[in-house]
Amino acid sequence: MREEKKSPSQKDKQTKKKNWLWPAVYSGIAIVFVGMVWGYSALVKNDAPELTDGTMGGDSDNGELVVETNASKEVLKYPFSEELLDDVAILQNYYDLEAEESVQENSLLVFNQTYETSTGVSISIDDQPFEVVAAATGVVEEVVTDVFQGDEVIISHADGMKTVYSSLSGVLVKKGEEVTQGEPLGNASANEWNPNAGTHLHFQVLVNDEPVNPGSYLGF
């Protein structure tokens, strides 16, 4: 007896429809999600800042001095070994218009019977030579040889700051050289410009080429 072929019921049709509908929905969602991830990755890549080669400083292609600014920001340290801190004497202060009168008087330099205001601090350690070190990492912008005032080293740092070390002898660094915080620069010495100070270091801090009080950064 021949078997009678049955037509599919409505329930079977609905079951088959469900079997292909949900995989199609899932596939569509997956394609949209992958497209969103790819688009976001491309956007982040285009907006990301170009990284430098990791060098701290040096000369750019047009000959200008370059100081790296994406390095970790350092805190300015004393321009001498902190082991000597207890023996340090400040011979002249930075001249501050808002300072007490006694401090202002101590901030005046006398030369050829004229007064000049101090744009830094004059540091002495028992009138003895001591090693002067870089207060922060940077690039040597200038080395000035001056028999009358003593040699001078100017270091450029990030954020427009410079530190100046005057009344030096035996300078150990050169223009354009990279120096790290605490690296020796030379020795404090006496000079004819300020003979009353004896052996000392005249230390200045410049922000945008304007002198500021080093005491704002250090405990002088």
Side-chain angles (χ1 to χ4, degrees):
M1 185 175 180
R2 188 174 63 181
E3 184 179 358
E4 185 178 353
K5 186 176 181 180
K6 299 180 180 181
S7 61
S9 65
Q10 184 68 21
K11 184 176 181 180
D12 293 337
K13 291 180 180 180
Q14 291 178 351
T15 300
K16 292 181 179 179
K17 184 177 182 181
K18 290 181 179 179
N19 288 341
W20 66 261
L21 176 62
W22 289 111
V25 172
Y26 293 146
S27 298
I29 293 174
I31 292 173
V32 172
F33 179 75
V34 171
M36 292 174 62
V37 172
W38 180 86
Y40 177 77
S41 299
L43 179 63
V44 171
K45 183 177 180 181
N46 291 334
D47 291 343
E50 184 178 354
L51 297 177
T52 63
D53 59 1
T55 56
M56 185 193 68
D59 294 331
S60 63
D61 293 338
N62 59 6
E64 295 180 353
L65 188 67
V66 177
V67 181
E68 188 60 59
T69 59
N70 63 348
S72 298
K73 187 174 179 61
E74 292 180 329
V75 176
L76 208 65
K77 291 188 176 181
Y78 293 107
F80 51 80
S81 172
E82 293 192 5
E83 297 177 355
L84 304 173
L85 188 58
D86 292 339
D87 300 321
V88 166
I90 303 300
L91 304 180
Q92 270 105 24
N93 298 99
Y94 171 86
Y95 188 83
D96 189 344
L97 291 173
E98 299 180 357
E100 297 179 358
E101 185 176 349
S102 59
V103 176
Q104 289 182 346
E105 290 178 357
N106 193 47
S107 306
L108 298 176
L109 303 176
V110 182
F111 181 73
N112 282 344
Q113 299 181 345
T114 60
Y115 288 95
E116 293 193 17
T117 56
S118 174
T119 55
V121 290
S122 295
I123 303 167
S124 175
I125 300 180
D126 297 328
D127 197 21
Q128 297 297 318
F130 60 90
E131 187 175 66
V132 177
V133 302
T137 298
V139 178
V140 178
E141 180 177 305
E142 197 69 50
V143 176
V144 180
T145 302
D146 191 326
V147 177
F148 183 65
Q149 295 187 357
D151 296 341
E152 182 177 87
V153 173
I154 303 173
I155 300 178
S156 295
H157 310 282
D159 302 326
M161 177 181 286
K162 297 179 184 179
T163 50
V164 183
Y165 312 77
S166 305
S167 191
L168 297 182
S169 65
V171 173
L172 301 173
V173 295
K174 298 178 181 179
K175 180 178 179 180
E177 185 176 343
E178 300 173 3
V179 293
T180 57
Q181 189 174 57
E183 182 174 338
L185 305 176
N187 296 311
S189 66
N191 62 66
E192 297 182 26
W193 160 251
N194 190 10
N196 293 333
T199 300
H200 70 285
L201 164 69
H202 188 66
F203 177 66
Q204 301 176 72
V205 177
L206 309 180
V207 176
N208 296 325
D209 290 324
E210 292 294 331
V212 297
N213 190 351
S216 300
Y217 301 90
L218 302 169
F220 288 129

